[in-house]
Amino acid sequence: MQPPPGYSVPEGMVCRLRRSLYGLKQAPRAWFQRFAYVVTATGFSAGAHDPALFVHTSSRGRTLLLYVDDMIITGDDPQHIAFVKARLGEQCLMSDLGPLHYFVGTEVSSTHEGFYLSQEKYIQGLLDRASITNHRTDETPMELNVHLSATDGEPLDDPTRYLHIVGSLVYLGVTCPDISYYMHILSQFVSAPTQLHYSHLLRVLRYLHGTMSRRLFFPCSSSLQLQAYCDATWASDSSDRQSLSAYCVFLSGSLIAWKTKKQTAVSRSSTEAELRAMALVMAEMTWLRWLLVDFGVSYGAISIARDPVKHELTKHIGVDAYYTHAQS
């Protein structure tokens, strides 16, 4: 690395760093250790299932602190929240932005009924960078029954824009579950995109242009019950015959988690593909249940998962079936 501006190093000499500089590989870890030390000194303890979540419990209530690149402090103990902000202000350079409205690209608005999450500003910025200036929109992200392959169309002369847009759209998965499946498809061609792949990518952008005002809603009053749904398409990828798993998880009717992912092994039957999808969603449900426990919420495929008998034709998928049965 080059010495910082203003420092001259004689030839043949090196610098010894006493602290981590911004940009070094170890800098984020050193900063997080410092941050964790400060917040634990105020009475917080790290969440057992998410190292970026810190929890404080007292007779006045519970306080939660979520750290990413920025911080969200919430809870029903305003006295401790004020104390934590004061301590952080003494130990670190920080700004109190007041009530939550914007957090790492996600817009948050609140009403008496609940909270709304959206990324309208982020989508508009992406459309501007992609030079989508007309008002044309599409009702769906992709046409029905489209099957793309790596050899479709002519290769792009410069795939930089394709890579940039795909990477930006992946981040939109925070609030746009409706494009999850299509981004799973288009992201498979980032190593060698073609003109046809790029045309389908532009269709996704035109769809977002017409739906950017849609938001996720989380009501204030709910029973905090988890519900999950999963599905699988058996041997749907013609290039390698791998199946596709997908799931969505609801908390009291509000969508909080979703994923579309190609299965790592080739399933020999639709039953096996379904069980792999069930194991995937059960792993997510297990983590979410433990995360809710950190929040202070306690929690005291169907026929094969409930049946302890392993049939001869399905014993090769016993691991996923046993895991799903054990977590049910």
Side-chain angles (χ1 to χ4, degrees):
M1 61 171 289
Q2 297 295 325
Y7 289 86
S8 59
V9 180
E11 185 177 355
M13 304 293 290
V14 297
C15 296
R16 178 187 176 188
L17 295 177
R18 293 181 175 270
R19 298 181 180 179
S20 294
L21 294 179
Y22 184 82
L24 295 180
K25 290 189 297 183
Q26 63 268 34
R29 180 180 180 87
W31 161 241
F32 183 77
Q33 289 176 340
R34 174 60 180 170
F35 173 81
Y37 172 79
V38 173
V39 297
T40 53
T42 63
F44 281 91
S45 57
H49 304 91
D50 190 335
L53 175 68
F54 296 85
V55 184
H56 175 269
T57 305
S58 68
S59 58
R60 298 186 301 271
R62 182 181 296 263
T63 306
L64 304 175
L65 187 152
L66 178 66
Y67 168 81
V68 187
D69 289 333
D70 298 316
M71 287 171 277
I72 296 177
I73 308 176
T74 186
D76 48 10
D77 186 356
Q79 182 177 344
H80 190 73
I81 292 177
F83 170 71
V84 172
K85 290 194 293 186
R87 290 292 296 166
L88 286 171
E90 295 172 1
Q91 299 292 326
C92 314
L93 291 175
M94 62 166 285
S95 301
D96 184 359
L97 301 180
L100 181 62
H101 296 292
Y102 194 79
F103 185 72
V104 290
T106 302
E107 300 166 54
V108 183
S109 60
S110 60
T111 66
H112 294 293
E113 291 78 20
F115 293 86
Y116 292 89
L117 300 185
S118 65
Q119 290 178 286
E120 185 173 353
K121 181 179 178 181
Y122 182 88
I123 295 174
Q124 185 59 60
L126 175 59
L127 295 176
D128 294 339
R129 294 194 301 272
S131 302
I132 305 296
T133 56
N134 56 37
H135 297 285
R136 179 184 172 186
T137 61
D138 281 296
E139 295 184 358
T140 59
M142 190 175 290
E143 296 178 3
L144 293 177
N145 303 318
V146 172
H147 299 282
L148 299 178
S149 67
T151 57
D152 291 336
E154 295 294 326
L156 291 173
D157 295 331
D158 183 7
T160 303
R161 174 171 291 189
Y162 185 93
L163 301 180
H164 170 74
I165 296 175
V166 168
S168 300
L169 288 177
V170 168
Y171 187 71
L172 272 178
V174 176
T175 61
C176 297
D178 45 345
I179 66 170
S180 174
Y181 170 71
Y182 309 101
M183 292 317 304
H184 161 79
I185 295 176
L186 294 172
S187 62
Q188 297 181 64
F189 309 113
V190 292
S191 59
T194 67
Q195 295 285 353
L196 182 62
H197 302 150
Y198 186 64
S199 66
H200 283 285
L201 185 62
L202 291 179
R203 181 186 174 102
V204 175
L205 292 179
R206 292 194 297 269
Y207 168 78
L208 289 172
H209 192 190
T211 60
M212 69 171 70
S213 60
R214 294 181 180 177
R215 302 179 292 176
L216 294 178
F217 177 63
F218 301 89
C220 291
S221 58
S222 62
S223 57
L224 297 180
Q225 293 181 346
L226 281 173
Q227 292 178 312
Y229 303 87
C230 66
D231 200 359
T233 58
W234 178 45
S236 56
D237 195 321
S238 59
S239 62
D240 53 20
R241 287 307 174 190
Q242 289 180 319
S243 305
L244 192 67
S245 296
Y247 69 77
C248 56
V249 182
F250 293 84
L251 180 64
S252 301
S254 299
L255 185 61
I256 61 171
W258 55 88
K259 177 175 285 189
T260 303
K261 182 179 181 180
K262 183 186 288 188
Q263 297 181 2
T264 56
V266 177
S267 299
R268 297 174 60 186
S269 67
S270 59
T271 303
E272 182 178 354
E274 296 285 354
L275 274 173
R276 293 187 190 279
M278 290 179 65
L280 181 67
V281 72
M282 286 307 302
E284 180 74 8
M285 287 283 285
T286 301
W287 178 74
L288 287 171
R289 287 189 342 189
W290 283 112
L291 191 62
L292 287 173
V293 171
D294 290 339
F295 288 166
V297 180
S298 58
Y299 275 86
I302 301 178
S303 60
I304 292 181
R306 291 177 178 173
D307 186 359
V309 178
K310 299 296 185 292
H311 302 284
E312 187 69 21
L313 296 178
T314 59
K315 67 180 183 181
H316 64 289
I317 51 175
V319 174
D320 285 329
Y322 179 81
Y323 175 78
T324 305
H325 175 72
Q327 299 296 329
S328 299

